[in-house]
Amino acid sequence: MSLEEFLARNEQWATEQLARDKDFFARHAEGQKPRLLWIGCSDSRVPAEQLLKCGPGELFIHRNVANVVAYNDINIAAVIEYAVDALHIEDVVICGHYKCGGVAAACADNIRTGYIGDWLMIISWAKKWVDQRLGLRKQELNQDEYLRLVVEENVRLQVKHLSHLSVIRSAWIKSAKVPRLHGWVYDIATGRVRVLVDGVTGENPLQ
């Protein structure tokens, strides 16, 4: 598809929105009040708004390779700070997905070098913990089954990272009840979301 076709689609979409609701864009131009902060993977097959059946203004979104929360990532820290402090969002969801290329690459025998390799090393801790938990039973699993477990463990790992960020810890000093942190995983093959971690707060820390 060419860029011109994308622009034509935009024109068609804007026209259709106005036909259904003449105040659609004027209403959104007044400001936003999203319900949750979504931290997801950059994978093009995981469109947060569509799989949650949301429209513009309902989700505040940050995406990166394999939905990682890195301690030294100013970008994600700024997004979280704005979401919590300025938009007063009370629920933060980290959503991974099965068939994640980033997780698969982090589980390869040789992780590539460069920026992507450095990034994937963060996920390698999830792989390590799955390997320790499985022990010899790892041999009983096929590659897809194994990678599903690492995808899930990576979600739990990133929720833990999120709970350790100073912006979250500072928010919990003000109110231990919010924000609430959640870990979900999306199954591309079924379209369903599964809850792995639910409602981590200053009062209910991750076990």
Side-chain angles (χ1 to χ4, degrees), residues 79-135:
V79 168
I80 295 167
E81 184 175 55
Y82 187 76
V84 172
D85 291 349
L87 297 177
H88 307 295
I89 292 175
E90 296 185 348
D91 290 284
V92 182
V93 170
I94 294 179
C95 188
H97 67 96
Y98 300 125
K99 303 292 185 182
C100 180
V103 168
C107 292
D109 292 335
N110 295 304
I111 297 181
R112 62 184 295 175
T113 57
Y115 292 126
I116 187 64
D118 296 343
W119 189 258
L120 294 176
M121 286 300 296
I122 301 171
I123 307 169
S124 66
W125 284 99
K127 176 185 184 299
K128 177 181 178 181
W129 291 334
V130 168
D131 289 347
Q132 289 178 346
R133 189 164 64 244
L134 287 174

Side-chain angles (χ1 to χ4, degrees), residues 112-158:
R112 62 184 295 175
T113 57
Y115 292 126
I116 187 64
D118 296 343
W119 189 258
L120 294 176
M121 286 300 296
I122 301 171
I123 307 169
S124 66
W125 284 99
K127 176 185 184 299
K128 177 181 178 181
W129 291 334
V130 168
D131 289 347
Q132 289 178 346
R133 189 164 64 244
L134 287 174
L136 295 177
R137 291 189 297 117
K138 179 179 177 181
Q139 302 171 10
E140 302 172 6
L141 303 178
N142 62 41
Q143 185 68 357
D144 186 62
E145 292 170 333
Y146 173 71
L147 290 177
R148 287 173 72 92
L149 292 179
V150 180
V151 163
E152 294 169 3
E153 191 64 37
N154 183 53
V155 169
R156 296 186 186 97
L157 173 63
Q158 304 315 322

Side-chain angles (χ1 to χ4, degrees), residues 7-37:
L7 292 172
R9 283 188 175 192
N10 167 253
E11 184 66 29
Q12 180 183 5
W13 174 77
T15 300
E16 290 172 351
Q17 297 305 317
L18 287 175
R20 284 194 291 264
D21 179 358
K22 65 182 178 62
D23 297 321
F24 182 83
F25 295 108
R27 188 167 58 253
H28 288 300
E30 294 175 357
Q32 63 172 323
K33 193 171 178 57
R35 172 65 181 81
L36 63 84
L37 167 60

